[in-house]
Amino acid sequence: MLPEGRRLAGAIGYLMLPPVPSDRVAAPYVRSARSIISALDKQGTCGWVIDMRSNSGGDMWGPLAAVGPILGDGTVGAAVYADGEKSPRAIENGTPRQYMDEWGPAASLARPTPPVAVLTSRRTASAAEAVTIAFPGRPNTRTFGQPTAGVPTANAPYQLSDGALVILTVAREADGTGAYTTGPSPPT
């Protein structure tokens, strides 16, 4: 499923971000979202609604790249491992730094740092929570809806000798301000 978008009354752009099952299908997802954002931006969009309510997780990087132009450049969160090591997530030119070679820079918005409303529900989980919590600390941003599912974690796949795949939680998330996030994220 690809992102969907449209223009709302008052020159507001709406972007719905469904889950991305794996990084193997993230490229068309990112292209679709960037195309929607660019088209709406050219229509004079002055604010955005990012709808994460139906995103139950999966891959985080596609949705993070999708909102990169709206989120803005800088550190937007981190995975924090049990030993205290942090793996920061940074956006550069609208793209997560580690995916710049794959997805390239995103087009800049005509109106930098527009107001943003992030919509959440109890279905907003895992990778979707990592994207949702990238927004705290960003100016002109609020979240609305229900608290998220409460599983903001980083996971890693491990192939077993019998061919089975085990996915383990290996880190917890820090939000865009650097604060640890545990449990559901309430609307702000």
Side-chain angles (χ1 to χ4, degrees):
M1 182 176 229
L2 295 174
E4 296 175 15
R6 64 184 177 275
R7 186 178 169 130
L8 303 175
I12 304 297
Y14 170 85
L15 182 65
M16 188 275 297
L17 296 176
V20 178
S22 75
D23 62 350
R24 287 175 277 137
V25 296
Y29 184 101
V30 172
R31 281 193 303 273
S32 175
R34 286 182 175 179
S35 176
I36 291 166
I37 291 169
S38 180
L40 292 172
D41 189 50
K42 288 177 183 166
Q43 296 175 27
T45 297
C46 63
W48 293 88
V49 173
I50 308 299
D51 190 345
M52 302 294 292
R53 293 177 295 178
S54 66
N55 192 322
S56 57
D59 181 66
M60 166 193 68
W61 297 108
L64 192 59
V67 297
I70 297 167
L71 186 57
D73 289 353
T75 301
V76 296
V80 184
Y81 298 91
D83 64 2
E85 179 185 342
K86 292 182 180 179
S87 178
R89 294 186 188 96
I91 303 290
E92 289 181 6
N93 298 313
T95 301
R97 184 179 295 150
Q98 55 268 57
Y99 284 90
M100 187 60 74
D101 289 342
E102 185 174 341
W103 296 328
S108 298
L109 296 178
R111 180 180 176 161
T113 321
V116 174
V118 180
L119 307 181
T120 62
S121 75
R122 286 177 177 40
R123 289 191 59 199
T124 308
S126 192
E129 289 176 286
V131 175
T132 299
I133 65 173
F135 283 93
R138 183 194 178 279
N140 302 317
T141 302
R142 301 251 339 253
T143 57
F144 298 90
Q146 298 172 321
T148 62
V151 287
T153 57
N155 304 310
Y158 293 93
Q159 188 80 42
L160 302 179
S161 60
D162 67 355
L165 182 68
V166 175
I167 299 176
L168 297 176
T169 297
V170 296
R172 60 185 175 163
E173 299 288 340
D175 69 17
T177 68
Y180 294 116
T181 302
T182 57
S185 294
T188 58

